[in-house]
Amino acid sequence: MGKLKQEVKVEKINGEQFVVRVACNKGGDKLVSILEVFDELGLNVVQARVSCRHFFSMEAIIGVGQDQKTSDMKDITDAVLKAIDEKQSGEQEMLVT
């Protein structure tokens, strides 16, 4: 399997909900990291679908919670990218040692 470019797309589907699509190399606790980011931003997962067959992919519908920190699509995208980047970096460091 070749390396997959990390991809995060966020689309607003109605006033208070977004669809978040993530695709990246599998490994590590990416799902946990992404869910923690949603929680930190005050976003609630309404529905999610995850696959780890050849790579990690997730499609989630998230809603803005009462204690939201942001509902900006760029902030959500950046936070999710940072979460999966940190997991990728951690995996590479573990492989080197």
Side-chain angles (χ1 to χ4, degrees), residues 76-94:
I76 296 167
T77 302
D78 291 346
V80 172
L81 276 169
K82 184 178 177 192
I84 60 178
D85 275 344
E86 287 174 358
K87 283 296 168 191
Q88 299 269 138
S89 298
E91 289 167 19
Q92 290 169 355
E93 287 172 17
M94 289 188 333

Side-chain angles (χ1 to χ4, degrees), residues 42-70:
L43 302 168
N44 301 318
V45 177
V46 176
Q47 180 179 334
R49 188 173 33 204
V50 178
S51 173
C52 294
R53 178 161 280 168
H54 300 292
F55 54 90
F56 175 86
S57 67
M58 181 185 89
E59 180 176 290
I61 297 173
I62 57 172
V64 177
Q66 289 180 345
D67 58 344
Q68 78 186 49
K69 306 273 188 305
T70 185

Side-chain angles (χ1 to χ4, degrees), residues 4 9 11 13-14 21 30 35-36 55 67 69 75 78 81 86 89:
L4 175 71
K9 293 182 182 178
E11 297 173 35
I13 55 175
N14 66 38
R21 292 182 180 90
K30 291 183 181 73
L35 294 176
E36 286 173 346
F55 54 90
D67 58 344
K69 306 273 188 305
D75 291 344
D78 291 346
L81 276 169
E86 287 174 358
S89 298

